[in-house]
Amino acid sequence: MNITKEQIDDLNAVVKVEIVKDDYNEKVESILKNYRKTANIPGFRKGHVPMGMVKKQYGMAVRVDEVNKILQEALGKFLQEEKLDVLGNPLPKNQEDFNWDAEDYNFEFELGMAPKFDVNLKPKKAITSYKIKVDDKMVDSQVTTIRKQYGKLISQTEVAKDSEVTGTFASEKAGIDNQATFEIEQLKGKKNVDAFVGAKPGDVITVKTKSLFSEPATYQAALKISEDEAKDLNAEVTFTLTETNKREQADLDQELFDKLFGKDVVKSATELKDKIKEDGERQFTQQSDQQLMNDVTERLIDETKFDLPSDFLARWIQSTGEKPMTEEEAKEEFARSEKGLRWQLIEGKVVTENELQVTFDELKDYSKDMIKAQMMQYGQMNPEEKELDDIAARILGNQEEVKRLSEQLMNVKMLTFFKENVKLKEKEVTFDEFVKEVYN
């Protein structure tokens, strides 16, 4: 057997594999002898079938199978030994004159080679790293929400501006039929508020869906519609009122604090606000970190220039797809996946060059930290080390969990690396400013 590589250009190569009779014949003969012992052919006793008949019936299939096994093993070994950095898998070339009846065979495979490139972590224009601050207005709003959530509902005979109402939105034409509960304060505009104020249980209120609520999320939930449906919907709906209540806010006392955080963790309104601020900043850090990761990813993809073996990859996609694809469909699929592939190559280079691999000990510690955090949510503040080790061992015995946690830990490592090495500029913003700047 002989294997050679012909480099077409920097991104494309052809591997040629020559397999001769001596490479496969001994194994084929051995398999056919075993077939002869077990073959059940009418007119012959088992084990006495003529070898010529066995070869005629099974010989070609056994040879093809054995040659393919040798071929795949040899090709994989060659790629590994030569340390060839390929994209996708080798694609067999179409050889019109190929003949299985011959004794010696020549196979050719196309390779798509990974490009060589450098990653510049110091772009001329710094990437914004947002620091989202929790202001007093947000804290006070959260306190009010908590007091409402844990307060008492007092039944009313008619709707007032501070009421909470329950009823059913309906429109046969728009396909809406959904029970909803919301506060009158969540409605948008005086016209909508006036339509509800003074109504009594059993009354039917007619309103337009457009500009009905101040917040899109409330609008979508109340009418049970998607974000896309909400953009275009402008229908007349009825709201059949079933009940109206006033929510009396809970007192800021020790009973409420204990319900929220456990006994004596928080002991005053000031400590409550500090806790809300602390928790909010932690949540906002997660959001700003994710945005930073997105922005760094986009910048590195845009500024790291390299070519890909596009034609090869389109053919590879066409050959490996679950459903048959035309050449044009394969090219379109490659165009959709190209950005993701570019990031995989950039990420892989950053990981390799900076030794960011995840070790088993790191994965074990990471899983124990997650377990400990989850247990704290249920009041188990000081779990024993053995208990953590046992739970972690069960989790890490599941390969899917190992994969999921490894990806999470790698993201943490990548984020830490980018914070330390990428050119960044910090910008302090409120949450509303962050949303406006990032999502609008």
Side-chain angles (χ1 to χ4, degrees), residues 356-367:
L356 299 179
Q357 290 82 0
V358 172
T359 67
F360 180 78
D361 286 341
E362 289 174 331
L363 190 60
K364 183 179 178 181
D365 290 341
Y366 180 71
S367 63

Side-chain angles (χ1 to χ4, degrees), residues 350-358 362 410 413-414 417:
V350 171
V351 167
T352 301
E353 291 185 347
N354 297 280
E355 299 180 348
L356 299 179
Q357 290 82 0
V358 172
E362 289 174 331
M410 178 55 73
K413 283 195 161 195
M414 291 288 286
F417 175 80

Side-chain angles (χ1 to χ4, degrees), residues 246-438:
K246 179 179 180 180
R247 191 172 287 273
E248 186 178 88
Q249 296 186 15
D251 292 330
L252 292 177
D253 55 19
Q254 194 60 47
E255 182 182 357
L256 176 62
F257 302 151
D258 290 348
K259 281 181 182 178
L260 292 170
F261 303 107
K263 185 168 178 58
D264 294 336
V265 175
V266 169
K267 296 182 179 180
S268 67
T270 300
E271 288 183 14
L272 171 65
K273 291 184 178 182
D274 289 342
K275 182 70 172 169
I276 290 171
K277 187 171 184 178
E278 178 188 327
D279 291 345
E281 286 178 346
R282 183 166 54 249
Q283 291 177 11
F284 287 157
T285 297
Q286 293 174 354
Q287 286 184 270
S288 59
D289 281 349
Q290 184 57 58
Q291 187 60 42
L292 176 61
M293 192 69 179
N294 293 344
D295 291 342
V296 171
T297 298
E298 290 291 333
R299 182 70 67 84
L300 290 181
I301 291 173
D302 289 342
E303 296 190 2
T304 307
K305 304 298 183 183
F306 54 83
D307 293 325
L308 290 170
S310 305
D311 292 340
F312 167 84
L313 289 170
R315 290 196 300 275
W316 177 69
I317 289 172
Q318 186 177 14
S319 70
T320 57
E322 293 182 3
K323 298 178 181 178
M325 281 187 186
T326 64
E327 184 178 334
E328 189 62 32
E329 287 172 337
K331 287 181 178 179
E332 291 173 358
E333 181 62 29
F334 168 70
R336 284 191 291 269
S337 60
E338 182 178 359
K339 195 171 185 179
L341 174 58
R342 287 182 177 277
W343 174 242
Q344 286 179 20
L345 291 171
I346 294 168
E347 183 183 38
K349 192 172 184 68
V350 171
V351 167
T352 301
E353 291 185 347
N354 297 280
E355 299 180 348
L356 299 179
Q357 290 82 0
V358 172
T359 67
F360 180 78
D361 286 341
E362 289 174 331
L363 190 60
K364 183 179 178 181
D365 290 341
Y366 180 71
S367 63
K368 286 168 67 174
D369 287 341
M370 291 188 65
I371 295 164
K372 194 183 296 184
Q374 290 173 353
M375 293 175 78
M376 287 176 65
Q377 291 178 358
Y378 294 95
Q380 293 179 261
M381 308 306 290
N382 295 299
E384 293 184 2
E385 195 67 22
K386 185 180 184 305
E387 184 180 10
L388 292 173
D389 285 334
D390 290 344
I391 298 173
R394 289 198 298 271
I395 291 173
L396 297 178
N398 183 320
Q399 289 303 309
E400 288 186 4
E401 281 297 298
V402 169
K403 181 181 178 183
R404 183 179 68 83
L405 291 174
S406 295
E407 289 174 352
Q408 288 182 6
L409 181 52
M410 178 55 73
N411 284 338
V412 172
K413 283 195 161 195
M414 291 288 286
L415 178 63
T416 301
F417 175 80
F418 288 145
K419 283 183 175 181
E420 295 173 351
N421 294 277
V422 173
K423 185 178 179 182
L424 304 175
K425 64 174 181 179
E426 187 176 276
K427 184 174 184 180
E428 190 173 275
V429 292
T430 65
F431 181 70
D432 288 341
E433 290 169 340
F434 173 76
V435 171
K436 185 176 181 180
E437 195 162 319
V438 170

